[in-house]
Amino acid sequence: MIQTIFRLTVVTFVLTVVVANRTSMESLYTDLLRDYNPHIRPNDDQTQRTVISVTMHLISINEIEELTGVMSTVVNVDVMWRDPRMTWNKTKYIDVTDILFPQELVWKPDLVVTNPAKKVRKIGFEDIMIRYNNNGIAYWYTGDYLETSCDINVTHFPFDRQVCTIVMIPWNYRQNELTMSIAQNNVQMENFTANGEWILYKTTAERVGDRPYEYIYFNLYLERRSSFFIINLFVPVVLLVFLNCMVFLLSPDSGERVGYAITCLLAITVYMTLVSETIPKTSKPICILSIVLLVLLMVSTVICFLTIISLNFHFRSKQKPLPKWLAKITRALRCANIKRRCGNNPRSDRRERKETSTETSQSQTDVESSKTQSIEDSEHTSNGKSVHLEEESENCHEPQDHDLETWKTFAVLFDHYCFLFCCIALLIGSLYFVIFTNIM
């Protein structure tokens, strides 16, 4: 019996406290809104400025359009100020320390983004409550999806860095009526979700007083993730151009040179057509990568042109000898190659090659008749190289007539130096693009 009475007493006390708290909250709500004008600033002295504190929390960067210059973001904005009309004695209302009011019933600053991509409107949405404590401090937690304009410079794409800004202003109040302060000198990132294309490596917040209004600039420093574009765009085109350079190593007598060069050129053209969707479609300014791809396409075109010229040299009639000046250049370049291949004593190297060639030919005479033809062909090739090397070495040390230099020997040297020139130019150009644009 005693326990039952005790339980009833406890339940009655709890219900009484709950009813009292609800009644106190209702009374506080009614008392605070009595004679309250939401269109008047909260200062008792209207000649003083109303000070509000603004903090931005960046939730995500959804997209950045290079062509239109639009950045889409999701943000939360925390605004705090003091309203003396919203103070009360908490002991009078049974320790009620906080209360919520609909934002349309109380005063709040109208924050507007001044660099929108589409239309100017207030930040936030309807049905947001504003929290007040018994000291009159107001907390307005709002958020929005923003589309702001951003000046995109894609010159160094895909190694570019951008600075996009979100500019806020209290729309209805001048600088002598309302002052905005920044709680933090940066944008808060505790709830930020990283973007797959951009790296946010720095944020700043600054207050700019430009009479008659006051602005807050929230700056986002972005760096593009370049790995995707390098692997899927730049490297394949460079490899295709390098394959095109290999045309100078094909034998002119194979008859496949022109077809090979044109096939590589068409492959580069088709691939560039496919990847053109990933390059920013803007001409203000045009990105360096577009120029590099155009240069690589031009290099491939030049390779086809040089291939045709080389074949023209190779199959030119023997009745048209080399001009003397071209014969001298050919002989000088050929001798330089022979000296590099034979060493400092090409004559001794020539004797060794003769002895090796003689021994090889004698040993091959005992081979079975069924394999004679193939071995003789191999022997002829080996001996031909040795004899050709010997003749070239002698030409480097013994005076010869310029008529011995033919268009075919000139075509061989032409192919050799065209291959070296194209490979070196491709390597230097690729390194210059990757290093220079990344540093800049």
Side-chain angles (χ1 to χ4, degrees):
M1 185 66 180
I2 297 176
Q3 293 180 351
T4 304
I5 295 174
F6 177 75
R7 290 176 181 176
L8 291 174
T9 304
V10 171
V11 171
T12 303
F13 176 77
V14 171
L15 292 175
T16 302
V17 171
V18 171
V19 172
N21 282 338
R22 182 175 60 82
T23 303
S24 300
M25 188 72 72
E26 292 176 350
S27 299
L28 177 61
Y29 188 92
T30 303
D31 293 342
L32 291 177
L33 291 182
R34 186 180 296 114
D35 300 328
Y36 187 94
N37 191 338
H39 304 294
I40 304 299
R41 290 188 296 115
N43 299 65
D44 294 331
D45 185 0
Q46 290 294 302
T47 60
Q48 296 180 352
R49 298 179 181 180
T50 302
V51 180
I52 64 173
S53 176
V54 181
T55 303
M56 176 179 286
H57 301 263
L58 184 62
I59 304 302
S60 65
I61 300 176
N62 292 353
E63 187 180 10
I64 296 179
E65 287 286 345
E66 291 89 354
L67 182 61
T68 57
V70 176
M71 179 182 66
S72 303
T73 56
V74 178
V75 299
N76 289 339
V77 181
D78 299 342
V79 186
M80 184 179 65
W81 67 91
R82 186 176 185 276
D83 192 342
R85 295 171 295 183
M86 290 293 181
T87 59
W88 67 90
N89 186 358
K90 62 181 181 179
T91 58
K92 179 180 177 180
Y93 297 93
I94 312 180
D95 293 333
V96 176
T97 58
D98 296 271
I99 190 171
L100 294 172
F101 286 96
Q103 62 178 4
E104 64 271 9
L105 298 180
V106 294
W107 180 91
K108 67 177 181 63
D110 296 325
L111 297 180
V112 175
V113 175
T114 60
N115 61 333
K118 294 182 179 179
K119 62 179 181 179
V120 178
R121 62 181 181 85
K122 298 178 182 179
I123 293 179
F125 46 92
E126 297 179 357
D127 302 329
I128 295 180
M129 306 290 282
I130 298 179
R131 179 178 295 274
Y132 291 88
N133 63 18
N134 61 304
N135 294 321
I137 304 299
Y139 301 94
W140 180 35
Y141 303 114
T142 185
D144 211 332
Y145 174 78
L146 303 179
E147 291 184 346
T148 54
S149 60
C150 181
D151 188 12
I152 306 296
N153 187 341
V154 295
T155 302
H156 298 100
F157 174 88
F159 304 105
D160 54 325
R161 292 187 175 187
Q162 310 295 337
V163 180
C164 294
T165 303
I166 301 175
V167 185
M168 292 186 181
I169 184 176
W171 190 255
N172 295 318
Y173 299 98
R174 297 179 178 270
Q175 189 176 10
N176 59 349
E177 296 174 335
L178 189 144
T179 299
M180 294 190 299
S181 63
I182 304 174
Q184 302 289 336
N185 291 328
N186 52 18
V187 179
Q188 300 302 300
M189 306 289 296
E190 60 270 10
N191 297 320
F192 177 70
T193 301
N195 185 271
E197 185 178 356
W198 296 91
I199 300 174
L200 182 62
Y201 64 92
K202 181 183 177 182
T203 62
T204 60
E206 55 182 342
R207 181 169 60 90
V208 178
D210 186 10
R211 290 184 178 274
Y213 299 102
E214 193 172 60
Y215 301 84
I216 292 183
Y217 287 77
F218 296 100
N219 302 313
L220 307 180
Y221 296 82
L222 304 167
E223 180 180 0
R224 193 188 302 269
R225 301 179 189 270
S226 59
S227 302
F228 172 82
F229 301 97
I230 294 298
I231 295 175
N232 295 280
L233 178 60
F234 182 70
V235 172
V237 176
V238 173
L239 292 178
L240 287 174
V241 177
F242 179 74
L243 285 178
N244 207 353
C245 295
M246 301 293 290
V247 69
F248 296 110
L249 300 183
L250 289 177
S251 174
D253 298 322
S254 64
E256 299 293 336
R257 273 197 168 190
V258 176
Y260 179 85
I262 294 179
T263 301
C264 291
L265 176 61
L266 292 177
I268 295 172
T269 305
V270 172
Y271 189 81
M272 289 180 62
T273 303
L274 296 176
V275 302
S276 60
E277 296 296 328
T278 62
I279 300 177
K281 302 176 183 62
T282 178
S283 298
K284 185 185 176 182
I286 189 170
C287 64
I288 295 179
L289 181 60
S290 298
I291 300 176
V292 170
L293 294 178
L294 177 61
V295 171
L296 292 177
L297 182 62
M298 295 173 62
V299 169
S300 183
T301 305
V302 171
I303 290 174
C304 294
F305 178 72
L306 294 176
T307 301
I308 296 174
I309 294 178
S310 176
L311 292 176
N312 187 19
F313 290 152
H314 182 80
F315 293 105
R316 185 165 292 188
S317 175
K318 297 181 179 180
Q319 298 178 358
K320 297 180 180 180
L322 280 173
K324 290 185 178 181
W325 64 271
L326 191 57
K328 291 181 180 179
I329 295 176
T330 304
R331 187 167 181 271
L333 294 176
R334 190 162 57 85
C335 289
N337 291 334
I338 295 302
K339 289 180 179 179
R340 185 169 58 252
R341 291 159 55 188
C342 296
N344 297 327
N345 192 358
R347 290 184 177 274
S348 61
D349 183 78
R350 184 172 66 253
R351 296 191 191 97
E352 293 177 1
R353 289 177 179 271
K354 285 183 178 179
E355 294 174 359
T356 303
S357 178
T358 303
E359 293 175 359
T360 303
S361 60
Q362 291 176 356
S363 62
Q364 288 177 347
T365 56
D366 299 331
V367 181
E368 296 178 358
S369 59
S370 61
K371 299 182 181 179
T372 302
Q373 184 63 34
S374 60
I375 297 177
E376 287 178 355
D377 294 340
S378 175
E379 178 188 359
H380 176 73
T381 303
S382 177
N383 294 337
K385 291 182 180 179
S386 300
V387 172
H388 179 66
L389 185 60
E390 295 166 13
E391 292 175 352
E392 289 179 339
S393 300
E394 293 173 353
N395 290 336
C396 293
H397 293 83
E398 298 175 2
Q400 297 291 333
D401 190 14
H402 293 301
D403 294 336
L404 295 179
E405 304 295 343
T406 64
W407 285 105
K408 287 189 177 182
T409 57
F410 174 73
V412 171
L413 290 174
F414 183 81
D415 291 339
H416 176 73
Y417 285 100
C418 282
F419 175 74
L420 292 179
F421 174 77
C422 292
C423 291
I424 293 173
L426 181 62
L427 179 62
I428 294 176
S430 301
L431 292 177
Y432 174 81
F433 169 73
V434 173
I435 297 175
F436 177 77
T437 54
N438 202 3
I439 292 176
M440 295 299 291

